[in-house]
Amino acid sequence: MFQRISFHLTLLAVAGVSLFATTVMASEPQHIFHTSNSNIIADSTTSSEWTVSVSDDWDVLGPFPIHAREQHFLSPSYPIDLSEEINFSAQFSSSYADGGNVGWGKAKSINGSLSVSFPDIRWESLRATEGWAAFQHHTLLRTVITVSPPSGSDIDPKYIPELQVSVVQGSFFTVLPSHVGPGFVPAWYAGNIYDLSGSMPQTVQLPEQPSLTTSTTYYLYISGDYEIRLFGDPSSREHQVPELQITYALELELPLQTLLVQATHHIVPDFVDGWAFGNTVGVGLRSVGGWWTITRAELLSGSAEVQVLSEPHLAPSQTRIIPLQLTQHGALMMTELEFLIYATSSFGMQSTIHVTIPIKQRQEWNTTEADAIKATYLFSASTPTAFLVKPPVYEDSGSTRPPILALHGAGLDIFVHDLWPKALPRQQYSWTIFPTGRTAWGLDWHGPSADDAWSTVSALYNILDRRPEWHRWRYAENTRVLILGHSNGGQGTWYMAARYPDRVLAAIPAAAYIKSQAYVPLTLSRSAHYIDPVLRSILETSLTPDDNDLFLSNLAHTPILAIHGGNDDNVPVWHTREAVSVLKTWNPNANIIYKEDPGEKHWYPSVFDNGIVQDFIHHALEGTLPNQTSQVANPPTSFTLTVSVPREISSLNGWRIIQLAVPGRLARLSVAMDDGTLIVKTRNVLAFSINPALSSMSMGQLLIDNIPVDLHGQLEASQLTFVLRHHHWHMESDGLDNIDVQSSGRMLNILTSSGPLMIVCPNRTTHLSAALRLARDLDTYHKLSVEIMEAESAIEHEINGTLGSGNLVILGGATNAFTKHLLAAGRAALQLQEGTLLLGGNAVRSGLATLFLHPHPINPAGLALVLFADDERSLERALRLFPIRTGITVPDWLVVSDEADKIGTGGVVSAGVWGNDWTWNEPMSSF
Ligand SMILES: *[C@@H]1O[C@H](CO)[C@@H](O)[C@H](O)[C@H]1NC(C)=O
Ligand SMILES: *[C@@H]1O[C@H](CO)[C@@H](O)[C@H](O)[C@H]1NC(C)=O
Ligand SMILES: *[C@@H]1O[C@H](CO)[C@@H](O)[C@H](O)[C@H]1NC(C)=O
Ligand SMILES: *[C@@H]1O[C@H](CO)[C@@H](O)[C@H](O)[C@H]1NC(C)=O
Ligand SMILES: *[C@@H]1O[C@H](CO)[C@@H](O)[C@H](O)[C@H]1NC(C)=O
Ligand SMILES: *[C@@H]1O[C@H](CO)[C@@H](O)[C@H](O)[C@H]1NC(C)=O
């Protein structure tokens, strides 16, 4: 395994490289028994007699300059085409190498662990001018795997094993037959690049049937991409040379019709005095083979019941967390929960799965003792989710104090390391809430990670509210919070505070980076040498919502304590200095304290645990910070609200932008009180609203863009809405209801779903592999639930009104009946004419990968994402562009050609952002 890396680095970067690898395969086949009408079930699915071995000798090609996430556009096998014969003496341009060329080399793995470095490259010289950007590099790795059948015995050719492959810290991998012909399309699978715990291996069908009598060889290719955010600066490990470290494991499994318990995916709350701290339980199940429906669950012990929520389905090889609701009639004092889960397969086979999950029983907290408690809730009405809380020392006497929302650093699994909860001293009267943000990286506290964080605040309220004995510990419903975080969580603190300013009473970002492009610059981009800068700017609108610096106007009056170690070698200290400077430009008297801790690195135990920070927290929670009380009574007399995607930003002092004139561009609304006149200036705003109660500004005269607007004495309204029509601002008396807050804005919004994501395949065979890869990645990276269904059934569900509100991901081209059905409704600037897709009236030629957002057929706030591709090659390309991680530049729609393999976004044919109501948005479209 890897050498362990010093702990302060692991917080942001390489957390637990060697810690979690062993949990990956933890299935429990022994807990299965079946009552069935079929004889094809085996008790063990491990194909003990088939064997697979992996050669320790690797061919290595690299290093090539690349910027973070560029590998989603480039071919993972860059610079070569795997459908052609490989020339191992060929040379390839690389500006990192002396002489400007690199060729194939060798590396040796030990025990499933591969380290690759290029000591001949003069990295320090590159660093001197290009900085961290020059450490980012791509390599192509390849080895041989051998699959051997059982010797001598009869083999049933119906049962060919599948590979279970885990590749940790590699970006993509593929398995190829030993000979491929021209036009061969490799299926690339995502590795577990962040080394997230509880990640399932990818199930890979052998690309060619293995011989039943002798060994068959295949090639395993890995795209190895060194990212500073994952591997850190080599100098923090006292190295000058960056070293890519990948671990892998391959096993074989027979795809029998069986469900297995997947313990890594169980979600259970702690029990306090016998009462569950959260009434949601999740049971991890994996389908080894077959399509399964979970029909019912039964708790075997104690005075309680469980109920399966919705009717979850599992596709072959899919892992899911089955959501159960627990109803207690009394205290449960046992140390494990025991269930029976009932399932039916599509062949009518019945299966009963016996599951035991250990639980932690504890006494109610008291003034002297209170470890963090694990709580659970149902995220987005679909996914059981756990979080930690630390209770206050004393119950609240009267005025309820708001809680603290504490965001961890990247790679930190809060249920494995207690470092994060321990870093924050218990508060006198406030709860401290530690969400996961879906997983240890999540989406960098944006999108579903931010939703998860906010949802834990109401989840804890509900837990305390549900049990009368805990009422004295409750805080106010819809309370504001003090938000803080370290590293990626510090960045998340800036992000969440600036996007939900009215929900935040104070913020403490520590060791935060401003935004990803500032953290490791994109200067060594390959794509940038080829793409039209105007088209590039359209692609980069998909990063605007993440650009924390652009939104600091929203925090110009929020009490902030910003902290950074003066010698941080992981997130450089200039990030916080710069953010503070930007904020002070908006408001020279901003209510911000900058605390630089000289000599300190990225993590130090006293970062929050010291008098200054605890004093700030205490006063912020009590509402007694200097200027804080006065601020509630007298809001600032002038402020500016900045918005990029209206649905991602809530109100500032009660003001909210709800529509943009040109979606894709930044909007600003500045408000100033001058002598009894409220002066509003707008930039790129089409509609905004005011909540007079929150804004608490006296509204005498109102001047919007220099034109007086008559309020018609509507000041008593709970919401005033203003809309720009024909160059004039009008007040809408019926408020927000008739204005849609556009749910598009960037493709990443697909991850924000109000139910399980539904992946729609043309039928149960076509594109199933792509659907399963996506489902597995959504589980690994975000713990989002996925239902896979075929087009005909999705259409039926829609007609029956049972489609559900979750976002849809639709795979395949005009042959997908659901895509046809969706586009026939004509709800977006899209048409399908005799199999040809028209975008805003422009025909997309065949053979291209097209991705576009489309309104959800029934949920006005929902989305559908179509990965439109006529052939396998473009479908594979579209799949790699699914925005599974932050930083993949995909706006609302784009069309990509095969040229992307070599020139990245230079291969983007056209791209754009939808207008309001899904219209064509000419200024933000490039066709
Ligand atoms: C392989 O590459 C070498 C070096 O560029 C070249 O001389 C040789 O002709 C190539 N072989 C083939 C079969 O293309
Ligand atoms: C390889 O891994 C096995 C099992 O984890 C261990 O017993 C063995 O010592 C390892 N060998 C080396 C060379 O690290
Ligand atoms: C606090 O709780 C712990 C166990 O959770 C118990 O051992 C201790 O006696 C309690 N202290 C008081 C003052 O009740
Ligand atoms: C805080 O109060 C002081 C004294 O009243 C004032 O000078 C300063 O401008 C205030 N700061 C903010 C951010 O309101
Ligand atoms: C699935 O659809 C494809 C075309 O999209 C078709 O060729 C295939 O026969 C279908 N399979 C089944 C089982 O319907
Ligand atoms: C739709 O409703 C019909 C009639 O109730 C039913 O037979 C069918 O199974 C339903 N379809 C789906 C996909 O639920």
Side-chain angles (χ1 to χ4, degrees), residues 496-519:
M496 288 180 57
R499 306 315 185 280
Y500 304 87
D502 282 346
R503 292 206 63 184
V504 168
L505 59 92
I508 312 179
Y513 62 93
I514 296 174
K515 56 180 173 182
S516 62
Q517 314 94 294
Y519 190 4

Side-chain angles (χ1 to χ4, degrees), residues 95 173 408 434 505 668 829:
S95 48
F173 69 87
H408 63 76
F434 305 89
L505 59 92
R668 289 211 160 108

Side-chain angles (χ1 to χ4, degrees), residues 603-659:
W603 173 254
Y604 40 105
S606 63
V607 57
F608 296 105
D609 192 359
N610 63 68
I612 293 173
V613 176
Q614 291 307 312
D615 226 43
F616 179 90
I617 290 177
H618 173 78
H619 285 296
L621 295 171
E622 296 292 321
T624 55
L625 280 176
N627 296 11
Q628 194 185 4
T629 8
S630 62
Q631 230 176 56
V632 175
N634 314 303
T637 51
S638 73
F639 58 86
T640 300
L641 170 63
T642 306
V643 165
S644 58
V645 177
R647 91 157 193 183
E648 290 186 3
I649 302 199
S650 74
S651 63
L652 171 63
N653 302 319
W655 294 66
R656 190 163 175 218
I657 293 175
I658 48 186
Q659 270 190 351

Side-chain angles (χ1 to χ4, degrees), residues 363-364 366-369:
Q363 291 180 345
E364 190 174 301
N366 58 36
T367 49
T368 49
E369 228 172 286

